[in-house]
Amino acid sequence: MLVVLVPVLSQEMSRAVAETDLTGAHCFYLGQNYVRLQETLAWAKRHGMTTPDLSRRFREACLRSKTPFVEMMGRLAESANSDLWWALPFSTKSPVLSPLFFHLSLLEMVRAYVDTANISKLFLVVESGALASVLESFFRARQWTIHRYRGG
């Protein structure tokens, strides 16, 4: 099985398609830019890729992730035992405000998809380099072939 990780750069996306047969790959856009999401999915369709219903899958992942996230953040706050904890940028328990929750939900969405869908190729366009690194580790642990493009 093959996973291709690319940053949100059209030249890197085009390079990946030129170097690898991605026909039939399942394409995900993992980021917050809605316009770029729509452009990426349209681009993927033009290149023969499948584009799953990301909005529904992301909502479902958020629902699965919400309670464990809030409980985890509560445990971290208790173990920090300091009012300074709440001044940290990632300390919020609010899933609406937390970039950490957003990224964890994206990871959950991808995990659930690869666990249930019958796929051999996955094309992931990822806004965050840190998220791409976590995904790379995730797929390496599953012994998938990984092609990662970093741009620049």
Side-chain angles (χ1 to χ4, degrees):
M1 293 194 254
L2 170 69
V3 62
V4 176
L5 295 158
V6 296
V8 184
L9 298 169
S10 57
Q11 68 268 22
E12 291 303 312
M13 293 164 53
S14 296
R15 189 173 127 216
V17 167
E19 293 177 359
T20 308
D21 177 17
L22 293 168
T23 304
H26 295 237
C27 177
F28 281 70
Y29 179 87
L30 305 175
Q32 295 179 316
N33 186 325
Y34 181 76
V35 172
R36 189 68 175 144
L37 163 76
Q38 295 303 316
E39 292 171 351
T40 299
L41 297 181
W43 178 90
K45 286 179 183 176
R46 287 192 306 273
H47 287 85
M49 294 184 211
T50 299
T51 55
D53 180 359
L54 299 182
S55 60
R56 178 183 60 80
R57 292 180 185 284
F58 184 67
R59 270 192 315 277
E60 291 170 354
C62 287
L63 290 172
R64 287 190 303 274
S65 302
K66 183 178 177 182
T67 299
F69 173 79
V70 170
E71 290 172 354
M72 175 190 72
M73 295 306 286
R75 286 190 305 276
L76 287 171
E78 284 177 6
S79 67
N81 195 25
S82 169
D83 290 339
L84 293 176
W85 162 260
W86 298 110
L88 297 172
F90 56 82
S91 64
T92 183
K93 286 173 64 173
S94 170
V96 174
L97 300 175
S98 173
L100 178 59
F101 178 77
F102 178 76
H103 287 111
L104 289 172
S105 295
L106 289 173
L107 288 169
E108 168 58 17
M109 176 180 68
V110 172
R111 184 213 53 82
Y113 190 76
V114 299
D115 283 353
T116 59
N118 183 21
I119 59 174
S120 61
K121 293 185 263 185
L122 192 60
F123 186 77
L124 303 176
V125 179
V126 189
E127 279 184 10
S128 163
L131 179 60
S133 293
V134 171
L135 286 161
E136 185 175 9
S137 296
F138 171 79
F139 287 110
R140 182 162 281 115
R142 290 179 172 226
Q143 299 181 339
W144 282 44
T145 300
I146 301 162
H147 295 176
R148 181 165 179 193
Y149 295 80
R150 297 180 190 270

